[in-house]
Amino acid sequence: MARYTVDEFINKTSQKDKGEGLFELETDRLLEVNLNGMIWTKMGSMVAYNGGIKFEREGMLEHGLEKFLKKAITGEGAHLMKAVGNGKLYLADEGKKVIILNLENDSIIVNGNDLLAFEPSLNYDIKMMRRVSSMMAGGMFNVKLEGTGMVAITSHYEPLTLVVTPERPVMTDPNATVAWSGNLMPDLRTDITFKTILGRGSGESFQMEFRGSGFVVVQPYEEVYFQTTTSG
């Protein structure tokens, strides 16, 4: 029997319906959306689709004046687009692993760079950590999602979830932090010493400190955030 034929390749890699509903993992790094209506997606994340689907960029006042002002003041924001219609939509982000979460009257905060898609039934708000933007190259913003609905987030490689308790706070590298439970309010810890100024410090000068009860998701990769600009 011949190996590595075109038919064998097509059979191995062809799309397969799993019947899991709106969001399903076509592969570990590719999200399939069985669209019948509208969802929010990260701009530039569409890799393929079929059916009658249209894409619309998020309007300036799409989520209200308050969020528009936050974006204008911070220079940051989740660059979103609407996918509207009926069909199958395939989303990915730089080959990162896709994680699907079904929120049930719950909330989660996601690093804005790691938000892939979410249902319009979820409310979202931009959260800026105090002092982070001025201390990290390119700044950092987070998106709080709350309510009932599905959200897809991404992680470089396999994520690790750490449980936070009042007795055991968790410290993380901001560049490796993907998401955390919506009830937690992390603080930024700084460890700048004379050695740091001379370039002889540990290199871990900034950490996010999580206290309370909840969880935090980290990835085995430190992302570098670049300031982005968009033309009006």
Side-chain angles (χ1 to χ4, degrees):
M1 179 179 178
R3 297 185 63 193
Y4 307 117
T5 65
V6 173
D7 287 343
E8 181 185 14
F9 171 77
I10 293 173
N11 182 63
K12 184 177 181 180
T13 61
S14 62
Q15 182 269 336
K16 297 174 179 64
D17 285 318
K18 300 178 182 179
E20 296 178 353
L22 177 64
F23 285 1
E24 63 181 56
L25 292 178
E26 185 61 34
T27 71
D28 287 345
R29 303 176 189 278
L30 196 64
L31 176 70
E32 178 182 287
V33 181
N34 296 297
L35 187 62
N36 183 19
M38 189 273 277
I39 64 162
W40 288 104
T41 71
K42 183 176 183 178
M43 188 172 293
S45 63
M46 185 275 289
V47 297
Y49 71 93
N50 59 42
I53 301 176
K54 294 183 178 181
F55 301 94
E56 303 173 12
R57 184 168 179 166
E58 178 187 20
M60 287 191 301
L61 300 177
E62 189 82 41
H63 288 92
L65 180 60
E66 181 181 359
K67 294 185 182 66
F68 168 73
L69 291 175
K70 283 185 180 181
K71 291 185 179 184
I73 292 170
T74 63
E76 296 286 354
H79 300 294
L80 301 173
M81 65 179 180
K82 289 190 290 186
V84 184
N86 293 274
K88 289 187 179 295
L89 172 62
Y90 300 93
L91 305 174
D93 185 14
E94 299 182 348
K96 294 194 288 185
K97 186 178 179 67
V98 180
I99 302 130
I100 299 173
L101 299 173
N102 189 11
L103 302 184
E104 297 181 351
N105 195 26
D106 206 348
S107 64
I108 188 171
I109 298 176
V110 184
N111 184 314
N113 198 47
D114 299 318
L115 180 62
L116 183 62
F118 61 95
E119 287 192 80
S121 58
L122 293 172
N123 295 318
Y124 103 92
D125 194 12
I126 299 168
K127 298 291 183 181
M128 294 294 297
M129 285 187 63
R130 296 188 304 271
R131 299 182 297 162
V132 172
S133 292
S134 61
M135 292 182 177
M136 293 178 60
M140 179 180 177
F141 70 96
N142 307 300
V143 179
K144 183 174 184 178
L145 297 160
E146 56 185 343
T148 297
M150 303 192 78
V151 56
I153 64 177
T154 58
S155 167
H156 283 281
Y157 312 107
E158 295 293 331
L160 172 68
T161 300
L162 301 170
V163 175
V164 181
T165 66
E167 299 78 23
R168 182 176 292 182
V170 172
M171 272 64 71
T172 67
D173 183 328
N175 296 85
T177 306
V178 174
W180 58 91
S181 47
N183 61 301
L184 295 181
M185 295 293 292
D187 289 323
L188 186 71
R189 291 183 55 176
T190 60
D191 184 24
I192 299 177
T193 64
F194 188 63
K195 286 185 178 181
T196 304
I197 297 173
L198 295 178
R200 299 175 59 188
S202 67
E204 305 295 338
S205 299
F206 307 113
Q207 301 102 38
M208 294 172 72
E209 181 179 28
F210 294 87
R211 291 183 175 274
S213 298
F215 65 87
V216 57
V217 183
V218 295
Q219 62 186 1
Y221 184 92
E222 295 184 18
E223 295 190 69
V224 177
Y225 306 100
F226 297 98
Q227 189 79 24
T228 58
T229 58
T230 57
S231 57

